[in-house]
Amino acid sequence: FWMAYAGNTLITVAVALLYRYADFVTLLGGTEFHLGWIVGVGMIGSLLMRFALGSGIDRYGPRRIWLGSLVVFALVCFAYLGVTTCHGPAIYLLRIALYSAIAGIFGASITFISGRVPVARMAELVGMLGTSGFMGMVVGSLVGDQVCGGQTIGRTQVDRLFVLCGTLALAAILFAWLATRNLA
């Protein structure tokens, strides 16, 4: 449980760092209009992907989906370093992949935890796992402000956020692997 907790905390910190995504779109020459479309398309794409993710968890188990989603999350974060415009399909496809990876990570980790405890303790452990999200949101927001706050935000700061998010995802892979290692 505590390995899953640590992995979820790290990935939630990364997700909270991405609250600065609007700064990224602005740096690429986008407006709130563009941001709305990018985020909206990403959300709709990830909603459609949830059918495949749920089916994948049932078919292949939460371990594979959890680890695979963490790898996708890390790769997407690093791929954003090469995005130079908000007007092409790349930013939309990456946003769909990012949201889909987040859905896979949390769906698989919750499924993993809930499948390992007696029904009488399931709500308690899922609730405890949820606190990793609250901690991650607080820490991620503070770190994001440290990386970007107090100065004009440039590409260097945004790239640091993406590198940090990808690195946190790589660290989360270790914890997810440790949490699920007996299932291999």
Side-chain angles (χ1 to χ4, degrees), residues 53 55-66 108 111 183:
L53 289 167
S55 179
I57 290 170
D58 290 339
R59 182 177 215 162
Y60 303 110
R63 181 178 205 262
R64 284 187 182 173
I65 302 302
W66 191 3
T111 302
L183 300 177

Side-chain angles (χ1 to χ4, degrees), residues 35-53 91-101 103:
L35 177 64
W37 271 100
I38 294 164
V39 170
V41 167
M43 184 56 69
I44 290 169
S46 78
L47 287 173
L48 296 174
M49 278 297 298
R50 289 166 199 253
F51 293 111
L53 289 167
I91 197 166
Y92 291 92
L93 294 173
L94 287 173
R95 190 67 181 192
I96 291 169
L98 181 73
Y99 276 14
S100 298

Side-chain angles (χ1 to χ4, degrees), residues 15-171:
V15 169
L17 286 170
L18 293 175
Y19 293 166
R20 297 293 211 149
Y21 194 82
D23 295 325
F24 174 62
V25 173
T26 300
L27 284 169
L28 297 178
T31 63
E32 289 181 11
F33 175 81
H34 297 105
L35 177 64
W37 271 100
I38 294 164
V39 170
V41 167
M43 184 56 69
I44 290 169
S46 78
L47 287 173
L48 296 174
M49 278 297 298
R50 289 166 199 253
F51 293 111
L53 289 167
S55 179
I57 290 170
D58 290 339
R59 182 177 215 162
Y60 303 110
R63 181 178 205 262
R64 284 187 182 173
I65 302 302
W66 191 3
L67 293 171
S69 295
L70 284 165
V71 168
V72 170
F73 184 93
L75 291 174
V76 167
C77 289
F78 295 129
Y80 270 119
L81 299 173
V83 174
T84 58
T85 182
C86 67
H87 302 292
I91 197 166
Y92 291 92
L93 294 173
L94 287 173
R95 190 67 181 192
I96 291 169
L98 181 73
Y99 276 14
S100 298
I102 293 167
I105 292 164
F106 291 125
S109 65
I110 290 169
T111 302
F112 171 76
I113 290 300
S114 64
R116 306 282 167 299
V117 298
V119 174
R121 295 205 56 217
M122 188 182 312
E124 173 190 351
L125 286 181
V126 170
M128 284 295 297
L129 185 63
T131 64
S132 68
F134 296 125
M135 288 181 28
M137 285 187 283
V138 170
V139 171
S141 296
L142 292 172
V143 171
D145 287 345
Q146 289 298 314
V147 172
C148 292
Q151 56 187 314
T152 302
I153 299 172
R155 184 66 194 233
T156 302
Q157 288 83 13
V158 173
D159 283 351
R160 277 190 214 140
L161 288 177
F162 286 124
V163 169
L164 185 53
C165 291
T167 303
L168 288 167
L170 294 176

